[in-house]
Structures are given as C-alpha cells and as structure tokens.
Amino acid sequence: MARIQLYDTTLRDGSQGEGVNFSLQDKLLITRKLDALGFDYIEGGYPLSNPKDFEYFQQAAELSLQHARVCAFGMTRRRGVTAENDVGMRALIDSQAPVVTIVGKSWDLHVEEILRVDEAENLAMIRDSVAFVVSQGREVIYDAEHFFDGYLHNPEFALATIRAAQEAGATMAVLCDTNGGSLPEQIARTVGIACDTLKIPVGIHTHNDGDLATANSLAAVAAGAVQVQGTINGIGERCGNADLVCVAANLSLKQEHEVLDGKGVRHLTELSRYVYELANMNFRNNQPFVGASAFAHKGGMHVHAVNRIAHSYEHIEPQVVGNVRRVLVSELSGRSNIVAKATKFKLEQDADLMAKILERVQDLESEGYQFEAAEASFDLLIKKVAGNYAAMFERMHYRVNVETDQNSQPVTEATVKLRVHGEVRHEVAEGDGPVNALDSALRKALNGAYPGLEEMHLVDYKVRVINSTEGTAARVRVVIESRDKEEIWSTIGVSENVIEASWLALVDSVEYKLLKDAGHFEIEAMSAAD
C-alpha cells in the first residue's frame, strides 16, 4: 500500500481547544516526541499571533530533528497589500521554518461576506502569497479552508482556488472540512475530483463536529489523499480535529499503509498519554486504541473467551499500539507500556525482578501515579526495586510556611534538613511559592556537595486532582519537568497534600540528576544501545 504523510497540528489547531494551553517548553517537548515517532510535519503555530509562537520557531530551529519538518502557519496576504509588504507574510518568512502552510478561502460565501473581496482578488491573494513564500526558498503547503462546503455551493470556484495555489508553486493542496459537517461519501467524491484536477498531491484536514473526522480522513485517503492533518487525541476547537492516534492506527493496522516510518505505531499509547499530561488534561478512558478501557474486559463470558482466544473480543492485539489488556475483575495483567519502557535495562531476562517491578507499578498506579510522562521517576523506581539504588542524600525533615506580610502579599518560606555524606545540614529559603522555596532550600542544603546542581533548572510544574469526588481530601498528582545542558526529564509525586506531592516529585528530580551525573545510568544506557 501507499505511504501516507502525517501532519500534526496539535501545537496550533489543537491549542485552540477549550482548556488547552501549552507552554513554550511543552511545545518543544511535543516536537521532539513527534519527531522521534516518525511524524512528517509538525505545525508549530502562527508566528505573528503571540510572542510564545514566535519564540517557538526560534528555538525549534536549533533542534536536531531526525524526521519531521517544522511548519509555520499563516493566512494569505491582506486585500490591497502586496505579499512582500504584508506583515503576516513577513512573519512567516522570519520564523525560519522550512515549511510554510498558507490557508486561503475556498467558499465564495467567505470571500464575499467575510473577506469582502471579489473572486478574482481572492484568487490573486492565494497566488501572490504562495508565490512569495516559494520565492523565499520555502516549501508551501496550501490549506483550502471550507473546501467541501465551498465545493457544494460553487464547485468551479472552489477548484479554481486550489489550481491557483498549484500554479504559484505549492507542493500540496490540503482540503479542509473546516466546519466538520461533511459525510464520508461526500469527502471521498470531492477528494477524487480534486485529485483528478491537480498535478500536485492532495491532503485532508477534517474536524469532528459530526463525529466523523477519522472516518472522513480514511475516506479521503481511499480516494487518493496522501497526507492527513490532525492532532494528537483529536484536541482542537469546538468538537476537535481528526485524532491522528486513531488515524495512524487504522491506516497502518487495518489498511497496511506505511505511516510513522513503520515504527511509531507501537508507541501510540505512550504518545497519547504524554500529550494529555503536558496539556494537563484527564485521559479519555474510552478512547479507541489507546484508552485505558480500549482492551478492558469485565467478568463473565468475555473474560473467559479472551483468556482462551484473545481476538474473540479484541479487534487488534493491544501491544501493537503500546496498550495493554485489562481484566477488570482481578487486574491479572501488567502494564505492557511500562514493560516497554523498562527494556532499556534488559530486565526481561529476569522474570522475578520484572514481576516485582510490575507489582510495584500496579500498586503505585492504584494510588494515582502515572509514569508515561515521568520517566525519570520510573527509572528511579526500577533501581530501587532492583536493589541497586544508592541514595545521594538522606531526607530527614522539611517544613513549608506561608503567610502574608504587612502589605497582604504572600510570603513562602521552606526549611529542609538533610544528611549529606554523614553531615546534617539544616537550611531555610524563601521562594515565590512552596515549590520554589523547597527547591531553593534543598539546593542550599546540597550546596558544595554536588556542583552539577547549578546547571539544573525546573522548567514546568503541573498539578492535577485525580479523585475529585473526594473534594478537599482528594489526591493530587504533581509532575515536575527539569533540565540541564544535556536533557530534559520529568518526575512525579502523589499525595492528598499538594505540598507533599510536590516535595516527592522535586526530590525525585534532584536525585535523578545526581545519579545521572554520578554515572549510575551509564551501564543501562550502554546495554540499551547494544
């Protein structure tokens, strides 16, 4: 079958979803993850819209991506302004992105009532914008907004818009079901006509307002589209976009198309949960392929049948997308995605040790831990269970005090007591909040013993309530991201007390850094590379 390109717009279209907000660090982390899994294009945002998107492209240009190409997104030039003098066009070029995605109007309703220009001027706006970006040495993907609604109303004009983009040098025309209301048969028919009309390849961009974004994407591929645009977990404005997790799984496993460089599909569950964690969103248990309930069986004849013949109640093997079968009555199964993360330690050869690790992981997961986006904590857990963990310091006591000053401004003070190399150290520090104060006090207590901490920085902090029905007594999960000059890592803590959860995640982060600097992970790293 054919190779299908996957174009991810989680960082731009996905971030337009209600309650979705990515920090700059989040966007860079997701970029690295998508590249590692074999995505073809990563749309980083609109560089003129806000300083964060502008800064993203400056930093993304420094990433050593192995597979993906970063895209800047923007609109056609404004009416009455040349492309060279249009501030939006200039921002796209200044972004340094090797690929520029330009969106233009395909529905005459929008041309006449929204842009308030005639059809000839709209075609000129498309042609001028694409040609200008091409003249600057960039690849141009043209997104034909509202194409399917436009084609229904005025097919000749809709086709003329994508021909204009082709004539100006676009390498691909992507047909957008912007309102998300089209049906698969309409998508297939229209994509087929567009493929017959153009000499350049055709892509598809669907929204999920009719709960058909995945089906419409697959219908478009069947009709000749060679690129699918969408977001991880389908996040996006209104009802969301096509979920590239489901799209990739269906294209690869059901239709045998080549996607994600042939290797990334088995990491889809990990990717899905990673993005949920960074977006600070709850996992969707019933999400196809990757949800916790996607391969869950509860009692009766289902469990009996699955224990004998797994595919009697499963459409695929869960492991092929990195998920796991779950028997809800007794939780007999382990977590295959956790096992996959542990293979770098060559632990599959020690069945007893692997069983102990899985048992410990299950116990912690029942308390609210999730290690998909906290791999540093998981690496520490493995060393502790394996018995080769050596603490770099002993925690004795900590205290956090929050009060207000005479101006009613909050003042946070943390006290930390440790034993370092046999010496008891007792330090106090103020901070902008509890985590900052604890971090400062912990660093003071370790000062001099571990100079490598000077290059370590906390870059993100997230809190999520994981059993909200308990009200103020609910457990909270804290995930902290840290970095040094070599890498970025994440750690986790869970407790009914947000300060305690933060302290657990913070200590894990510092211990991981110290153990890494001391070479405690070098053997495992070399083994994984063999």
Side-chain angles (χ1 to χ4, degrees):
M1 301 296 286
R3 182 181 182 281
I4 305 301
Q5 299 176 6
L6 294 186
Y7 178 114
D8 182 87
T9 179
T10 301
L11 305 182
R12 199 273 307 174
D13 219 344
S15 67
Q16 294 177 191
E18 186 174 1
V20 179
N21 183 43
F22 295 114
S23 67
L24 173 60
Q25 185 61 33
D26 291 337
K27 296 182 72 164
L28 294 169
L29 286 168
I30 290 173
T31 299
R32 291 190 183 95
K33 178 70 75 172
L34 294 173
D35 175 63
L37 296 189
F39 280 79
D40 299 282
Y41 294 92
I42 301 170
E43 188 176 273
Y46 178 29
L48 191 63
S49 65
N50 58 75
K52 180 171 64 179
D53 278 8
F54 176 82
E55 181 63 25
Y56 165 82
F57 287 104
Q58 307 311 304
Q59 295 199 29
E62 304 299 320
L63 298 178
S64 299
L65 301 182
Q66 302 301 309
H67 188 90
R69 306 191 74 197
V70 171
C71 310
F73 176 89
M75 295 169 283
T76 55
R77 67 164 174 83
R78 292 170 294 164
R79 62 179 182 178
V81 179
T82 64
E84 293 85 351
N85 294 323
D86 185 273
V87 63
M89 291 278 98
R90 297 303 321 181
L92 293 173
I93 300 304
D94 292 343
S95 73
Q96 304 181 52
V99 182
V100 172
T101 300
I102 295 176
V103 61
K105 301 295 185 182
S106 301
W107 190 359
D108 55 3
L109 170 70
H110 279 255
V111 173
E112 297 164 4
E113 300 298 333
I114 307 300
L115 292 183
R116 295 188 178 276
V117 299
D118 59 28
E119 293 182 359
E121 172 64 4
N122 183 68
L123 293 176
M125 291 164 65
I126 295 170
R127 195 176 292 111
D128 294 347
S129 302
V130 173
F132 170 67
V133 176
V134 171
S135 73
Q136 302 300 304
R138 311 300 170 84
E139 177 186 351
V140 174
I141 294 174
Y142 178 70
D143 274 13
E145 188 180 37
H146 292 101
F147 186 84
F148 296 93
D149 292 310
Y151 185 84
L152 282 177
H153 190 261
N154 187 338
E156 292 79 10
F157 175 69
L159 292 173
T161 63
I162 56 176
R163 280 198 296 264
Q166 173 183 262
E167 292 163 2
T171 61
M172 180 169 297
V174 178
L175 313 183
C176 303
D177 185 30
T178 310
N179 286 351
S182 300
L183 298 175
E185 53 268 29
Q186 176 192 353
I187 295 285
R189 181 172 61 253
T190 308
V191 168
I193 292 170
C195 289
D196 292 339
T197 300
L198 299 178
K199 297 179 181 179
I200 60 175
V202 170
I204 184 69
H205 180 122
T206 63
H207 286 253
N208 203 38
D209 298 74
D211 200 21
L212 292 168
T214 297
N216 285 341
S217 297
L218 297 177
V221 170
V226 299
Q227 181 186 99
V228 179
Q229 295 189 357
T231 64
I232 305 305
N233 300 323
I235 60 175
E237 198 166 23
R238 304 189 312 275
C239 302
N241 292 48
D243 181 359
L244 287 184
V245 171
C246 292
V247 169
N250 277 300
L251 287 174
S252 174
L253 303 175
K254 301 302 181 71
Q255 298 183 346
E256 298 183 345
H257 289 294
E258 181 186 342
V259 296
L260 300 181
D261 206 25
K263 301 175 182 177
V265 171
R266 64 178 178 267
H267 298 289
L268 287 175
T269 300
E270 173 190 347
L271 173 64
S272 170
R273 296 182 182 184
Y274 185 80
V275 172
Y276 275 132
E277 286 285 2
L278 290 182
N280 206 21
M281 300 173 67
N282 290 322
F283 300 160
R284 189 156 56 92
N285 285 342
N286 66 343
Q287 187 172 347
F289 293 101
V290 298
S293 301
F295 301 96
H297 306 277
K298 187 175 181 179
M301 70 175 185
H302 282 218
V303 173
H304 176 72
V306 167
N307 284 338
R308 296 192 62 185
I309 305 174
H311 67 264
S312 63
Y313 278 95
E314 293 176 348
H315 67 117
I316 63 168
E317 294 182 2
Q319 292 83 358
V320 299
V321 290
N323 210 335
V324 64
R325 180 178 304 115
R326 298 169 61 226
V327 177
L328 299 183
V329 173
S330 58
E331 288 293 340
L332 298 177
S333 298
R335 303 289 194 269
S336 63
N337 56 319
I338 299 296
V339 174
K341 289 178 180 292
T343 56
K344 65 181 179 180
F345 296 100
K346 301 286 187 178
L347 295 178
E348 68 276 12
Q349 299 174 6
D350 189 335
D352 291 340
L353 179 57
M354 178 61 70
K356 291 179 182 178
I357 292 171
L358 290 175
E359 181 180 3
R360 182 60 181 150
V361 167
Q362 287 179 327
D363 289 343
L364 290 172
E365 285 188 343
S366 70
E367 297 176 12
Y369 280 80
Q370 289 287 346
F371 292 101
E372 285 76 11
E375 292 188 1
S377 286
F378 180 70
D379 286 348
L380 291 171
L381 180 150
I382 290 177
K383 295 186 75 66
K384 291 174 182 178
V385 176
N388 57 10
Y389 167 78
M392 306 298 281
F393 57 89
E394 179 185 348
R395 290 169 273 174
M396 300 176 67
H397 169 79
Y398 79 89
R399 182 175 65 248
V400 176
N401 182 58
V402 181
E403 58 186 13
T404 56
D405 61 17
Q406 62 271 24
N407 299 317
S408 298
Q409 295 299 310
V411 177
T412 305
E413 182 181 271
T415 302
V416 169
K417 188 176 183 181
L418 307 176
R419 181 175 284 109
V420 185
H421 302 326
E423 176 189 354
V424 175
R425 300 187 178 186
H426 200 177
E427 298 290 349
V428 61
E430 290 186 351
D432 295 330
V435 177
N436 181 242
L438 281 169
D439 181 42
S440 298
L442 182 56
R443 288 171 182 269
K444 286 180 68 175
L446 296 171
N447 185 39
Y450 301 110
L453 283 178
E454 294 180 3
E455 65 183 26
M456 173 186 161
H457 306 282
L458 304 187
V459 295
D460 206 355
Y461 171 85
K462 290 185 174 68
V463 180
R464 178 184 302 164
V465 177
I466 54 180
N467 54 338
S468 57
T469 58
E470 299 296 327
T472 56
R475 283 179 176 267
V476 295
R477 179 191 302 142
V478 169
V479 175
I480 290 178
E481 288 172 3
S482 307
R483 72 176 303 161
D484 59 16
K485 61 183 180 181
E486 297 175 345
E487 65 172 302
I488 298 170
W489 62 92
S490 299
T491 52
I492 188 171
V494 174
S495 174
E496 289 87 357
N497 186 311
V498 67
I499 303 299
E500 171 69 6
S502 303
W503 171 250
L504 294 173
L506 178 63
V507 168
D508 264 13
S509 183
V510 171
E511 288 196 305
Y512 179 83
K513 166 63 175 173
L514 300 182
L515 288 168
K516 181 170 71 78
D517 286 354
H520 285 225
F521 293 111
E522 290 181 359
I523 295 176
E524 291 88 348
M526 288 189 294
S527 297
D530 289 341

